[in-house]
Amino acid sequence: MKRRQFIQTVGIGTATASLAGCTAPGGTPDGTTDVANGDEADILVTLVRNAPENPGPYEDPVGTVTPQESEELILDGFTFQRAGEKGLVVAGDATNAGDRQLQNVVVEVTLHDRNETEDEILDSASEQTTHERLDTGETWQWATTFDEQEFQIDYYVIRATASYV
C-alpha cells in the first residue's frame, strides 16, 4: 500500500471514530462543557480534511474526511493555499444557521503530519481566530495564517466553538 493511501485510510478511520458525537448538547461527546475564552461553549463543530500535497493559490481542499455535524453553526467554503512568503492560509465561512445569536465564536485550525520515522511523533501547528458575535443568518469569513511549515501537511482539523447569547 502506498504511503499516502495508508495515511488517508488510517487517518479517516481514526478521525471519524474519535469525532463521532462532537456536537452533544453539553459541548463534548461525554456531555461535559468545553471552554472557549473562559465561557462554556454551547456548540462544538470539528471537521477533518485532507490537505493537497502542493496547494497552489486558490486551490480547493481535497475532500471532507468528516461530515458537518452541527445544524446551528455551518462551516464551509474552505480555502487551503500557499501564500508566498506569508506561509499557508486556511480560510472559510462560518454561518449561524440557528435561530439564536452566537457569541465568542472561535475557529481553531491545526495542521497535522503523520511522521513515519521511528519516533512516530505527530507534528502539528495550530492557529486561532475569533469573532465576537454572529447573528442569525450571518456569515463570518475567517482566515488563519501559518508561517511556512517544516513538515509535510497530510491533513488539517478545523474546530469551532460558540456560545448562545
Side-chain angles (χ1 to χ4, degrees), residues 74-127:
I74 307 296
L75 299 175
D76 61 3
F78 301 110
T79 301
F80 180 91
Q81 69 181 30
R82 299 272 179 220
E85 293 178 8
K86 293 182 181 178
L88 182 78
V89 174
V90 180
D93 297 331
T95 302
N96 180 352
D99 58 359
R100 297 167 66 181
Q101 186 180 54
L102 299 175
Q103 66 182 359
N104 299 327
V105 183
V106 178
V107 174
E108 179 178 39
V109 177
T110 305
L111 308 176
H112 291 278
D113 171 30
R114 292 203 184 276
N115 187 345
E116 292 186 349
T117 62
E118 292 178 14
D119 63 10
E120 297 183 15
I121 295 173
L122 178 66
D123 295 320
S124 67
S126 293
E127 290 291 336

Side-chain angles (χ1 to χ4, degrees), residues 30-41:
D30 63 2
T32 60
T33 56
D34 184 38
V35 179
N37 292 335
D39 295 327
E40 293 180 359

Side-chain angles (χ1 to χ4, degrees), residues 9 18 26 40 46 55 63 77 96 111 113 116-117 136 148-149 153:
T9 302
S18 67
E40 293 180 359
T46 304
N96 180 352
L111 308 176
D113 171 30
E116 292 186 349
T117 62
T136 300
E148 189 63 32
Q149 299 302 311
I153 303 163

Side-chain angles (χ1 to χ4, degrees), residues 34-78:
D34 184 38
V35 179
N37 292 335
D39 295 327
E40 293 180 359
D42 295 310
I43 298 173
L44 171 64
V45 179
T46 304
L47 297 175
V48 179
R49 295 182 67 103
N50 293 326
E53 287 187 40
N54 296 305
Y58 308 107
E59 182 174 337
D60 289 332
V62 181
T64 299
V65 177
T66 59
Q68 174 75 47
E69 295 182 353
S70 172
E71 294 180 9
E72 290 109 3
L73 183 60
I74 307 296
L75 299 175
D76 61 3
F78 301 110

Side-chain angles (χ1 to χ4, degrees), residues 145-163:
T145 303
F146 295 84
D147 293 334
E148 189 63 32
Q149 299 302 311
E150 295 182 10
F151 57 87
Q152 177 180 338
I153 303 163
D154 292 316
Y155 67 97
Y156 58 102
V157 176
I158 302 168
R159 181 175 183 264
T161 58
S163 300

